[in-house]
Amino acid sequence: MGKITLRNVQKRFGEVAVIPEIDLDIDEGEFVVFVGPSGCGKSTLLRLIAGLEDVSGGVIQIDGVDATTLPPAKRGLAMVFQSYALYPHMSVRRNIAFPLKMAGLPPDEIARKVDAAAKVLNLSAYIDRRPGQLSGGQRQRVAIGRAIVREPKAFLFDEPLSNLDAALRVNMRLEISELHQTLKTTMVYVTHDQVEAMTMADKIVVLNAGRVEQVGSPLELYRTPRNVFVAGFIGSPKMNLIEGAAAAAEGAATIGIRPEHLDISSNAGTWAGTVGISEHLGSDTFLHVHSDHGTLNVRAGGEVGLRHGDRVWLTPQADKLHRFDAKGARII
Amino acid sequence: MATQHSRAAARLMISPAVGVLLIWMIVPLAMTLWFSFQQYNLLYPDRTGFAGWDNYRYFVTDFRFGAAIRNTLVLVLGVLAITTIGGILLALLLDQPFRGQGIVRLLVLAPFFVMPTVSALVWKNMFMNPVNGFFGHIAQAFGAQAGFDFLGQAPLMSVIIMVAWQWLPFATLILLTALQSLDREQIEAAEMDGAGAWSRFVYIVLPHMTRAITVVILIQTIFLLSVYAEILVTTNGGPGTASLNLPFLVYLASIVDNDVGMGAAGGVIAIILANIVAFFLMRAIGKNLET
Ligand SMILES: Nc1ncnc2c1ncn2[C@@H]1O[C@H](COP(=O)(O)OP(=O)(O)OP(=O)(O)O)[C@@H](O)[C@H]1O
Ligand SMILES: [Mg+2]
């Protein structure tokens, strides 16, 4: 249960092809994250899967059954919206019970399931409040509760954490991951936060302008980005991308090296530069080094003794160097 | 927020306006109360002086009083039913995307800008007249001698139709605004939750609109209790007492019967009744306005 397949799926709004053509396989029980810059079509793709938008072409299969023209309710998927989309005039209990009531379940069974969901999500204390009387994190949990009581084939999340503050976001991230471990249901999760993507996903789908740039596990994407876009998008802080003479020396149009794969020394190395701003995080220090190849981001230890204006040399770790051709594709 | 000082200044600044409004309201009310306890009949200018409760007794025991109360209620409730239900339906219709939406919305609003007297006359002469009216013509086209005599046979119903036609745009507009403020994602969430069109309307759309519906009912009730012009230019309260309401009875007493004292008593009774209605309305649905 919970296998979603997209074949040649297209979506146009009038003349604009928001999704030119996408093929995608989401396996049973997988946690798949869609990432990409704003406006690249993540939400649109999710809504196509949910059935809230009609495809302009192609086929969507759920568990091997053609669901392309099925209405949202018949697809057996549950969605958690960015704005939570709770029903403001209903109590938490009635919100969570709503899909069950629509499914025509008997009241005692509804009550049992709602209580169970509320317990799992720590909502029992607020069960009779209205959404307006809850905090952002609690609302988020109600929205998730409304999704899990239906026991759907898959959950769809559209940037569910983007309205929460940083600390709560980390918490909820863990809660959702834990939920996935317990339920083992397929989850499709949209975000533009690549930390969320890296930490939660079994499989990341990197989207750019409606196209799939790469699909793979977080570490695959980190270690072997297929092109410059993925290289620049995955990883924080961003990979250093260098063009020109330094790249030509490696036989590439662009070379990429992650900040953590640059060795820094104050007396010898490949590239010379001066230290600019340094950001001390305690455990790490991120140095912005101005070199002949532009400003390079370097990750050094927390105790590094370098200061603004110091002369330094950088050496890329040869086996961690990424090389890309003129079209931006990875050179193997 | 405001300091003690600025609050005092604010009170001082608005006091002239409050004063004018108070006088504006208090003076006519006081005069009405005063007249209602006086003998004041234009046909008998020599009979003056304190009348006690006589004016009230005459008004309440007038043979038209019972009909007036009944008709007032039927008129208010009838128009409210037509305008809120019709307004919800029209709002749902206008909320759909279609070509020429702007023009249609403007046209729907048009009846509200027509003066009550004018609209009533148009209805009376151009639509409801059994011989020359639009409905009459339709009836004749089907071979009847003359159309249904709306004002003669169903006078109160006819007045209700006219007034409802006038107030429908108001209700539609307010309800449409409420409808447009409904979060699309809530509807989509309900769709995903398996709610069909009817369930979505009952569980999501209607609760979202309760506040707007409350506003429509409250505001309309206040105005509908005092419907007068439409009756004056169409049925004149008749035939008999069939379309007579409370404001019209006050008019008959004070202007036609020339009994200013009794008219004033009727006015005071109308005020009291309106307040009773307002009290119950506020209690029944006013809680929707909270939070
Ligand atoms: N109903 C619509 N009509 C026309 N264009 C639309 C519609 N919905 C989305 N688009 C366009 O489709 C593109 C993709 O939108 P989408 O909402 O999927 O982006 P996104 O990746 O979710 O972005 P974000 O991270 O900002 O949420 C955007 O350029 C947007 O303008
Ligand atoms: Mg989006």
Side-chain angles (χ1 to χ4, degrees):
Chain A
M1 296 287 272
K3 185 172 152 60
I4 302 171
T5 316
L6 277 66
R7 288 284 168 265
N8 306 324
V9 168
Q10 301 162 22
K11 180 64 187 175
R12 285 184 296 275
F13 288 113
E15 289 298 293
V16 195
V18 174
I19 294 176
E21 190 168 291
I22 273 190
D23 287 291
L24 195 64
D25 289 286
I26 296 168
D27 283 328
E28 218 178 294
E30 228 174 11
F31 198 117
V32 176
V33 174
F34 295 170
V35 275
S38 190
C40 70
K42 305 180 294 288
S43 299
T44 307
L45 190 58
L46 199 71
R47 293 165 57 84
L48 286 174
I49 295 173
L52 295 172
E53 302 273 359
D54 294 323
V55 297
S56 309
V59 177
I60 297 174
Q61 289 180 345
I62 298 172
D63 287 336
V65 182
D66 185 356
T68 317
T69 54
L70 279 185
K74 296 265 161 60
R75 298 191 181 194
L77 309 176
M79 183 146 166
V80 176
F81 292 83
Q82 182 174 0
S83 68
Y84 316 136
L86 299 177
Y87 310 127
H89 51 274
M90 296 184 196
S91 64
V92 169
R93 175 185 293 285
R94 288 187 56 212
N95 259 287
I96 298 177
F98 189 72
L100 302 176
K101 190 170 163 187
M102 291 298 111
L105 261 60
D108 51 332
E109 197 177 338
I110 294 182
R112 196 167 45 73
K113 289 193 174 190
V114 171
D115 286 336
K119 211 163 154 209
V120 170
L121 293 163
N122 283 325
L123 281 170
S124 304
Y126 321 107
I127 196 89
D128 290 315
R129 290 208 204 160
R130 299 234 175 145
Q133 302 162 316
L134 298 179
S135 73
Q138 290 162 349
R139 282 181 217 184
Q140 183 61 70
R141 284 205 287 268
V142 177
I144 293 173
R146 197 173 60 184
I148 60 173
V149 284
R150 292 179 54 199
E151 294 165 17
K153 294 175 190 160
F155 292 97
L156 310 176
F157 294 90
D158 191 355
E159 306 204 21
L161 308 186
S162 58
N163 288 341
L164 304 180
D165 68 56
L168 201 53
R169 207 180 294 182
V170 174
N171 258 336
M172 287 302 298
R173 205 164 77 196
L174 292 175
E175 278 188 37
I176 293 177
S177 292
E178 218 153 82
L179 200 66
H180 181 240
Q181 290 304 322
T182 10
L183 297 176
K184 308 229 183 298
T185 312
T186 311
M187 292 192 175
V188 184
Y189 188 102
V190 166
T191 179
H192 58 243
D193 178 347
Q194 57 99 19
V195 177
E196 270 174 37
M198 293 296 282
T199 51
M200 300 172 85
D202 294 324
K203 184 156 100 187
I204 297 182
V205 178
V206 183
L207 292 168
N208 183 26
R211 268 175 250 275
V212 176
E213 295 285 352
Q214 189 170 359
V215 180
S217 72
L219 284 183
E220 252 172 79
L221 264 56
Y222 176 81
R223 289 196 188 120
T224 52
R226 219 170 65 187
N227 53 37
V228 174
F229 179 83
V230 179
F233 198 81
I234 298 290
S236 169
K238 280 178 64 158
M239 183 189 281
N240 298 298
L241 293 167
I242 306 166
E243 297 170 355
E250 297 285 341
T254 311
I255 53 171
I257 184 78
R258 295 196 184 277
E260 50 271 44
H261 300 144
L262 274 173
D263 294 330
I264 192 161
S265 148
S266 47
N267 39 45
T270 318
W271 301 323
T274 38
V275 176
I277 304 292
S278 41
E279 298 167 307
H280 296 275
L281 300 183
S283 58
D284 295 307
T285 308
F286 292 113
L287 300 165
H288 298 255
V289 177
H290 303 293
S291 75
D292 303 339
H293 311 294
T295 303
L296 300 178
N297 222 323
V298 182
R299 178 175 176 177
E303 309 295 329
V304 66
L306 292 166
R307 265 183 306 182
H308 194 277
D310 283 354
R311 189 90 185 134
V312 291
W313 277 266
L314 301 175
T315 312
Q317 297 167 10
D319 58 330
K320 298 283 166 56
L321 199 67
H322 305 270
R323 297 177 304 141
F324 304 98
D325 66 16
K327 284 192 185 131
R330 182 181 190 85
I331 301 171
I332 307 132
Chain B
M1 281 211 315
T3 63
Q4 196 103 54
H5 185 74
S6 71
R7 265 205 299 271
R11 285 212 191 97
L12 192 69
M13 300 299 242
I14 60 166
S15 55
V18 171
V20 168
L21 279 176
L22 204 65
I23 292 169
W24 197 282
M25 206 189 76
I26 288 294
V27 170
L29 184 66
M31 283 178 72
T32 308
L33 271 173
W34 169 250
F35 286 143
S36 71
F37 290 105
Q38 293 291 312
Q39 291 192 39
Y40 189 172
N41 191 320
L42 298 177
L43 296 178
Y44 308 97
D46 52 319
R47 295 186 195 163
T48 54
F50 186 67
W53 291 97
D54 278 358
N55 284 328
Y56 289 90
R57 212 177 58 235
Y58 293 145
F59 191 84
V60 172
T61 54
D62 191 300
F63 71 99
R64 298 165 294 191
F65 181 73
I69 295 283
R70 207 166 43 246
N71 290 342
T72 306
L73 285 179
V74 172
L75 180 72
V76 170
L77 293 179
V79 174
L80 280 181
I82 296 177
T83 50
T84 38
I85 294 172
I88 290 172
L89 294 179
L90 265 178
L92 286 173
L93 203 65
L94 290 177
D95 195 36
Q96 309 297 321
F98 59 89
R99 266 153 57 93
Q101 215 170 20
I103 301 273
V104 172
R105 281 185 191 165
L106 206 65
L107 285 179
V108 166
L109 201 58
F112 204 49
F113 295 119
V114 180
M115 277 181 282
T117 34
V118 174
S119 98
L121 283 174
V122 168
W123 273 99
K124 176 185 174 185
N125 296 323
M126 297 179 72
F127 285 97
M128 291 177 166
N129 187 301
V131 181
N132 298 316
F134 179 69
F135 299 131
H137 278 298
I138 291 179
Q140 282 158 16
F142 283 101
Q145 276 281 308
F148 182 66
D149 182 8
F150 284 93
L151 297 178
Q153 302 298 320
L156 189 58
M157 192 63 219
S158 305
V159 173
I160 289 177
I161 291 174
M162 292 173 201
V163 178
W165 181 78
Q166 280 222 307
W167 282 95
L168 189 57
F170 170 78
T172 306
L173 192 73
I174 296 213
L175 297 174
L176 179 62
T177 320
L179 205 53
Q180 284 172 334
S181 71
L182 177 57
D183 182 9
R184 283 293 317 161
E185 287 199 343
Q186 266 178 47
I187 292 290
E188 287 175 347
E191 226 174 303
M192 302 261 341
D193 283 345
W198 175 250
S199 296
R200 290 203 294 275
F201 175 72
V202 172
Y203 292 110
I204 314 294
V205 177
L206 216 48
H208 174 78
M209 293 211 293
T210 41
R211 188 182 294 213
I213 293 173
T214 310
V215 168
V216 164
I217 290 178
L218 278 177
I219 293 182
Q220 284 202 27
T221 306
I222 293 166
F223 283 91
L224 294 178
L225 279 171
S226 59
V227 164
Y228 162 70
E230 290 87 341
I231 296 175
L232 182 72
V233 299
T234 54
T235 62
N236 241 312
T241 58
S243 58
L244 187 83
N245 69 351
L246 205 53
F248 203 78
L249 184 57
V250 172
Y251 154 78
L252 288 181
S254 48
I255 307 296
V256 178
D257 300 348
N258 287 307
D259 194 340
V260 177
M262 183 172 145
V268 173
I269 290 174
I271 293 170
I272 293 168
L273 283 184
N275 276 292
I276 292 174
V277 171
F279 175 78
F280 281 111
L281 265 179
M282 287 302 235
R283 258 242 318 231
I285 49 184
K287 61 174 180 286
N288 285 333
L289 290 175
E290 285 158 21
T291 71

